Amino acid sequence: MSAAKVKMRGKKMRNQPVSVQYPSSSTQNGADTPETTGGGGDNAPSDIPLSTEKPKNPQQRSGWVCGHQKDGGGYAKEMPKYITAGAFARARAAEVRAMLKAVTKTTGSCHVFGALPKHMRRRAMSHNTKRLPRRLREVANRMREKSLQAGSKKKKEQAKSKSRKARRRHGNLLLEFNRRQRRNMWLETHIWHAKRFHMVKKWGYCLGDKPTYKCYRACYRAMSSHCLLQDLSYYCCIELQGEEDKLLASLSQLTSKEAGPTFAAVLSLSGRRQGSVVLYRAGQYPLQPLGPVTFLWRPRTQGSTHRQLWIWAHPTIKKDLLPELQTVCQCCEAVVPPAVPVVTPAEVVPTLEPEPEPEKTPEAKQITGTKRKRSCKDSSGPPAKKILGDGTRSPTAPITWKSSSTGIVINDLTMEIVRYRLIGPQSHCVLAETLEAATDCDEINKSQPSSLWWPELCKDKSKMDLHQQQANVYHLLKGIYSTGELPSGTVLGLTVDDPRLTLPTKKVKALPCVKQAQEVDEEKRRELMLRGVPEHCCQSYLWEKSVRDNVTENKISEQELNRMRSEVLVPGSRLSPTPLQGRIPILLVHQPGKQVGHEMSSWGAGWDLLLPKGWGMAFWVPLVYRGVRIGGLNMSLKHSQNKGAPHFPHDYPDCPAGVCFQEEQEAELLDKFKRRPPAKRTNYIKHGCLAPFRCPWQQLAEEWELITREVGEERKGDSQTQTAKEADTVMEEEVTSHGDISITKPPSCITVLRNRKSLRLLSGWCRPTTSRGQRPCRVGEVLPLDRSAAASFLTAHGMNLVWVRLSLLSKGKPELHAMVCVPTAEDLQLLKKGPSSSGPQEPPHKDHFKSRNKRRRKGPKKAATSSKTKGKESDLPSAPEPSPTSCEEPKSSSQSSSDLIFGLWPDPLPSVTSHCSRVTLGWVTQGDFALSAGCGEALGFVSVAGLLNTLINQPMEHRGMLLLRNPTSLHYRFAKINIEV
C-alpha cells in the first residue's frame, strides 16, 4: 500500500473503535482453562492464578482476536469447557461500548449533515432545512437557531467595524494612532516621514532613518550648495531657573575649563551665542563623562539676576543627566502636576462600544438596522485628541523639581519645543522665503480685550519697538551670501506670521535674490557678520510657558484655514488681514559648520528653528515647498563624518550611552553574520581580525600601557643611546613578546582625551597636513618631540584614547572597525616609490577552530575518530601569529565547543596589539569615501601611548604615516593621521 493510501486509511479509521485484545494469557473469551498442578488430575473450575507458561508455538496468538489471521490460525480449535460470567460480560461490555461510540460520533464535522451519506448531501440544505429528511429537520432547526443567537452576541461584543472606510474615519484613526504611541513617541512629522522613509524605533521614539528612494549624493549636494532639512524634535530640553551665581556654581561641578568653554563663557552667558560642552559626573573630570550637550541662556532682564537656561541633550543622556542635575542643584522636591483629565495613550481604548452603565435612556439604545454613529455624548468619554508633546509620560509623573535651599527649579521640556535643523549655505534664503515677520494689529483689535497673546502685546509700544528691531535684523539675512559667514552660535528671537498663509501653489527652490541683497545696508550687514545679533534682539517670547501654551491652544485648524481661503476673492492670494491666532514666537539658532582642521572651513553650517509644540507640520510643509532635501538619522551621521566631528553616541566609547550603543551594534552585526550560511561568511580568523563587530578599547589601552612601561624600564637600564631604527625594533620585539598580556593591577577605565592644550600639542607632533597628505599645514610653536616630553605626556594621559582623522594616500574605502596599524621600516620604504604605491600584505592566518567546528557538526560518534589528530593541531605553526600562546587557545578547556562560531574568535581574546604582523594602534568608527575630500577618509580612536611610541620611532619625513586594513581584507593601505583641534 502506498504512503498516500496509508495516510488516507489512517484518516478514515481515526474515529473507529480499537480492536479489543487481551494480553497473552490462558484466559480466552472470558473462559477459564483448567490448570494441572502437581499430580492432581481433577478438572474442575478453579479461581487459582492462571498459568504463565508460554505456548509452544510462538506464533500462536491467545486472547480474542477479530479478523482473519495471516497464518491461518489464532482461533482456539476447541471450545472452552467452562466460562466465567463476570469476565465474559466485561469483555463483551468493552466491545459494545466501542461500537456505541462509533455509531454516535460523526466522522467529520459536528454538523447534522454529516449523518447523511455523501451522495445525499446538498449545499442548499444549509439554507433550507426542508431539503433534509424529516428525521433530521428538528435537529437542524435547533442548530440553526443556536448559530443565529451566537452570531448576534458576537456582533454586539465587536462594535468596531472591520471595513477600511470605518478605520479611516478621523476619530477612529486618532484612536489607533494614539494606541500606537504607547511605547514609542511619534514626532509631529511622523506620518509625513512614514510615507517616505524607512522608520526605526530608537531611544523611545519612532524616527526616520533613510529615505525609500536613492538620494545620498543629492543630500550631499544639498548640504554643500543649498539646504537639507532634519527634524531634531527628539532631542530633550531641560530648563533650569534660578539666580545666576547659584546656577553657575552648581553647573561648574559638571564641566572643566580644560576641555573648552563652559556654561560661564561670556558670549554664551549673555544669551547672544549657543554653547556646547561635554558634561561629566559631578567632580569626576576627566573620568565618567556623560556626553555632549548644547545650552542656551535667556538674555538678561534689566535689574534682575534671575536667569533661565535651556540644556539640549540626546535622549540617551537624559536618564543620566537629569539625576545629576538634581543632585548638584539640590532639587529633590518633585512638584506633582495637577490632575487634569487628559486622554493619554494608556487610557485610550480603540473601540467604539460605550461602557455599560447602570441606567440607559431610550435615546441611547441603538435601533436595529440603523447606521451607528459615534457622538461626543457617548459614555466612552471625550472625543480622541491628537497627542501633543510626550504622550508616553503618565499625567501624574512629575516634570518639575525645585530646591528650597538654592531656589533653583528644573523643568523637563521634552517634546514641548519642536526643533528643525537646516543645513547648507542657502539655509538663510529658505528661512527668508518661508517666514515673514509678524504684522501689527489694527486699532480695533488693540482696543478690545482678547484672550490671545499678540493683541495684548501690541498694546505695549516698547515691545513693538523691539519686535521691529528684530525684524530689521532678520531682513539683513537676505543680503548674506552664505550661512557660514555669520558667527557660530548666533541667536535671533522673532515673531512670525503663520507660514501656511504664504504657501506657494507648487514647489519652488529658494535662491538668493540679487535685488534684495543690494537693498540691504552694507555697513549693517558687515556688522552682523562680525559681531552677530545684538543682545536685546536675542530675546524671544518662546521662553514664556504661558505664551507657548496660548499659541498651541489657539492654532487655526487646516479646515478653518481652507474655509477662509475659499472666501478670498482672488484665488491663491494671501489672507488679509492676518488672523490674530497666526502669530508664532520662534528662535533662530545658528549652527556652526566644520570648525576643526584647515580645509572646508564652516562646511555644513546652518540654522536651527525652535517652535512651540503643535506647530510642527504648519512649518514643515512650507519649508519642504521651498525645495529643501529631507534627511534622516543616516544623513546626520554623514554630516558629522564630513565635518570630522564625533557623532553621538557612535563615537563616545567612554560614555554610558556609547557603551550601550556598541553592545547593541555588536549584537545586530553578529545576528546578521549568523543569518548567512557558513560557506558564505567571511572567515575573520583567517583575515587576522579578532573583533570584527566591536572595538575592545579597554584591552587596547591596558596592553599599550604595559608595553610602554616595560620599554621605558628597559631604556633606563641601558646606558647606550639607540638610533630610531633600533628603537623601532626594540618596540616591536617588546610588543610581540607580550602576546598574552595579563594585567595584574585592577583595570582603570578608559577615557577620551579632551584637554585642549594636550590635543594641540599632540596635533603638532603629528605634523598635520591637508587631505591625502599633499601639503603640510601651519602650526604654532610646538615643543619638540623627544623621549622626555613623551614620558611626561604619558604620565598624565597614558590610558587615554584620542580622536583622529585618517586620509588614505591612494585608492581604497575604509570600513567600520577597520584596524589602524603601525608600519614597519620596510613598509615606509615603499613610500619612496610614490604616495600612490600599494601597501603591504598581511599573511593569511590559520583557523585553529576549524576542526573543532567540524567535530561539533559531525556529532559525538565521529568525534572519537577525529580525536587522533588533536595532538597534531596543538602543535600548529605560528608564523602569522606573533604570539605562540595564541595557538594554544583552542586547547583551553574553559571554552566549550557550543560557543564557537565559524569564522569568529571566541572570548577571551588574545593580545589585540600583536595579533597581526603589524602592531595595532586602534580602530575606525566611521569610514567611507568622503565626497568633500575626494578620497577615502576614516574617523576613529587610537591609543595615546601607542601613537607617541610610533611618532618617536618614525623619521621626520614620514611622521604620522600609518596603515589601515579593513576587516574583510588582507591588504594594508597607507594613511595620513591628523588630530584636528
Side-chain angles (χ1 to χ4, degrees), residues 274-350:
Q274 176 187 250
S276 60
V277 68
V278 177
L279 297 183
Y280 296 80
R281 295 199 182 274
Q284 295 295 323
Y285 174 85
L287 305 176
Q288 301 184 26
L290 297 177
V293 298
T294 57
F295 60 92
L296 187 62
W297 287 94
R298 184 177 185 177
R300 294 183 179 93
T301 306
Q302 192 172 6
S304 175
T305 58
H306 187 272
R307 297 301 301 273
Q308 197 171 346
L309 172 68
W310 281 349
I311 298 177
W312 294 85
H314 196 271
T316 55
I317 308 178
K318 179 185 172 183
K319 60 180 181 180
D320 297 319
L321 176 59
L322 195 56
E324 205 68 26
L325 288 173
Q326 293 173 4
T327 303
V328 297
C329 298
Q330 304 176 17
C331 295
C332 302
E333 303 174 15
V335 179
V336 181
V340 180
V342 180
V343 180
T344 60
E347 299 169 352
V348 171
V349 180

Side-chain angles (χ1 to χ4, degrees), residues 946-967:
L947 180 61
L948 279 181
N949 275 283
T950 303
L951 295 177
I952 289 175
N953 298 316
Q954 282 184 338
M956 183 58 71
E957 63 272 13
H958 295 311
R959 181 166 289 179
M961 290 293 176
L962 298 178
L963 293 174
L964 207 63
R965 182 164 73 89
N966 288 333

Side-chain angles (χ1 to χ4, degrees), residues 609-622:
L609 177 61
L610 307 184
L611 313 165
K613 69 176 181 181
W615 286 86
M617 286 305 297
F619 280 76
W620 182 268
V621 174

Side-chain angles (χ1 to χ4, degrees), residues 378-515:
D378 284 349
S379 59
S380 58
K385 292 184 179 180
K386 185 178 179 180
I387 295 177
L388 297 177
D390 189 356
T392 60
R393 181 191 289 138
S394 172
T396 58
I399 58 172
T400 304
W401 299 266
K402 65 179 181 179
S403 171
S404 57
S405 58
T406 59
I408 298 176
V409 179
I410 298 177
N411 293 316
D412 185 5
L413 300 184
T414 301
M415 297 291 289
E416 293 294 314
I417 299 175
V418 178
R419 184 164 190 149
Y420 294 155
R421 176 162 293 177
L422 293 88
I423 305 170
Q426 302 301 324
S427 301
H428 62 286
C429 296
V430 174
L431 290 174
E433 288 279 339
T434 308
L435 308 178
E436 292 186 2
T439 53
D440 195 359
C441 295
D442 51 16
E443 296 299 330
I444 300 176
N445 292 324
K446 287 182 183 180
S447 60
Q448 297 176 353
S450 174
S451 61
L452 303 176
W453 76 283
W454 182 250
E456 296 297 323
L457 185 76
C458 292
K459 297 176 184 178
D460 193 335
K461 188 175 183 303
S462 61
K463 293 181 179 179
M464 291 307 297
D465 291 341
L466 175 61
H467 170 69
Q468 187 60 41
Q469 293 177 17
Q470 292 174 337
N472 294 336
V473 174
Y474 177 68
H475 182 69
L476 293 176
L477 293 179
K478 299 179 181 179
I480 295 176
Y481 175 72
S482 174
T483 306
E485 296 178 358
L486 294 171
S488 60
T490 299
V491 180
L492 174 62
L494 192 63
T495 302
V496 297
D497 285 338
D498 192 340
R500 296 175 293 177
L501 303 177
T502 57
L503 186 69
T505 55
K506 61 180 181 179
K507 285 187 179 181
V508 291
K509 193 169 184 178
L511 295 173
C513 181
V514 179
K515 184 178 180 180

Side-chain angles (χ1 to χ4, degrees), residues 113 122-131 144:
F113 307 124
R122 297 291 183 273
R123 187 180 296 134
M125 291 179 179
S126 58
H127 305 285
N128 187 5
T129 56
K130 291 184 179 180
R131 290 180 175 270
R144 187 186 178 196

Side-chain angles (χ1 to χ4, degrees), residues 361-379:
T361 59
E363 299 176 0
K365 294 181 181 179
Q366 183 181 352
I367 302 173
T368 308
T370 60
K371 186 176 180 181
R372 187 179 190 281
K373 295 183 180 180
R374 177 183 174 88
S375 63
C376 297
K377 297 180 181 179
D378 284 349
S379 59

